[in-house]
Amino acid sequence: MKNKVAIIPGSFDPITNGHMDIIERSSKIFDEIIVAILVNPDKKYLFTLEERISMIENSLKELTGIDNVKVDTFSGLLVNYAKKVNSNIIIRGLRAVSDFEYEMQLTSMNKVLDDGIETFYMMTNTKYSFISSSIVKGVSGFGADLTKLVPKAVAEKLEKKLKEE
Ligand code: ADP
């Protein structure tokens, strides 16, 4: 049987427990998962690309029994990246109705660009449905316990980064 490779694209600035939940659950369904960080020179990120890669890699080490997830980066069109890695599967997380409109646009656009691409949506675990990278950044830097929001590998880095800012 052909290996089913699925891509989880995003900014991951930084990766949160919500992202991790989607990664863990989808890794049990598909043969291989690629967490693909979008490189967008026009967007301002808190963490550098290297920092985001290493935080995801370290966070993955916190998951037990999962060895089919890798981290990569891409720029330009996601559909072109998907072709490059021989995948036609995109996975996105859906937190609330407010995510839906944007996600529908994105999926429709990708379908126009490449009809062979299929996007799968995974409902977020309700305990993570309020978490976004930006809301996490908003409460960091003040000494709060961030481990309910982000993996341990991220909590420390986030606190330090925001103190420096
Ligand atoms: P983007 O800039 O593409 O939205 P993000 O890194 O913010 O990148 O998100 C990447 C993916 O993870 C998106 O599909 C987003 O909906 C999903 N996601 C973000 N936060 C959560 C969460 N708390 N639970 C589940 N999915 C999430």
Side-chain angles (χ1 to χ4, degrees):
M1 206 178 77
K2 236 174 78 188
N3 251 18
K4 291 253 177 285
V5 180
I7 304 167
I8 305 188
S11 315
F12 306 104
D13 187 38
I15 191 157
T16 67
N17 286 342
H19 294 129
M20 291 300 289
D21 178 56
I22 299 290
I23 294 169
E24 185 171 12
R25 286 159 57 203
S26 44
S27 75
K28 290 173 183 158
I29 295 168
F30 296 96
D31 299 309
E32 191 185 329
I33 300 291
I34 305 176
V35 179
I37 310 175
L38 171 66
V39 181
N40 180 353
D42 299 330
K43 227 173 135 179
K44 210 180 161 301
Y45 299 105
L46 176 65
F47 291 99
T48 66
L49 186 60
E50 290 67 31
E51 285 173 325
R52 282 178 283 151
I53 296 171
S54 110
M55 280 189 291
I56 299 174
E57 282 174 346
N58 289 330
S59 305
L60 289 174
K61 289 182 194 151
E62 294 174 26
L63 298 179
T64 42
I66 290 186
D67 58 2
N68 60 342
V69 183
K70 67 176 191 183
V71 186
D72 197 7
T73 64
F74 75 102
S75 53
L77 294 179
L78 177 57
V79 292
N80 291 343
Y81 173 73
K83 267 201 197 92
K84 196 183 105 184
V85 296
N86 285 319
S87 169
N88 65 342
I89 303 164
I90 298 170
I91 300 173
R92 301 276 296 172
L94 214 47
R95 284 163 291 192
V97 177
S98 49
D99 278 342
F100 182 77
E101 208 164 328
Y102 172 67
E103 291 295 336
M104 198 173 81
Q105 264 187 326
L106 211 61
T107 296
S108 308
M109 179 53 83
N110 283 332
K111 217 42 184 158
V112 168
L113 296 173
D114 182 346
D115 194 33
I117 284 280
E118 296 298 348
T119 306
F120 289 78
Y121 283 94
M122 199 169 256
M123 287 286 291
T124 185
N125 187 319
T126 45
K127 67 180 174 191
Y128 302 131
S129 61
F130 68 98
I131 300 180
S132 67
S133 298
S134 26
I135 204 162
V136 168
K137 284 182 272 194
V139 298
S140 304
F142 306 106
D145 175 14
L146 301 177
T147 53
K148 283 194 190 117
L149 310 173
V150 293
K152 283 196 193 74
V154 175
E156 221 172 82
K157 288 235 179 276
L158 194 53
E159 197 59 28
K160 208 168 138 222
K161 186 81 156 186
L162 281 155
K163 266 195 194 129
E164 288 165 10
E165 288 279 299

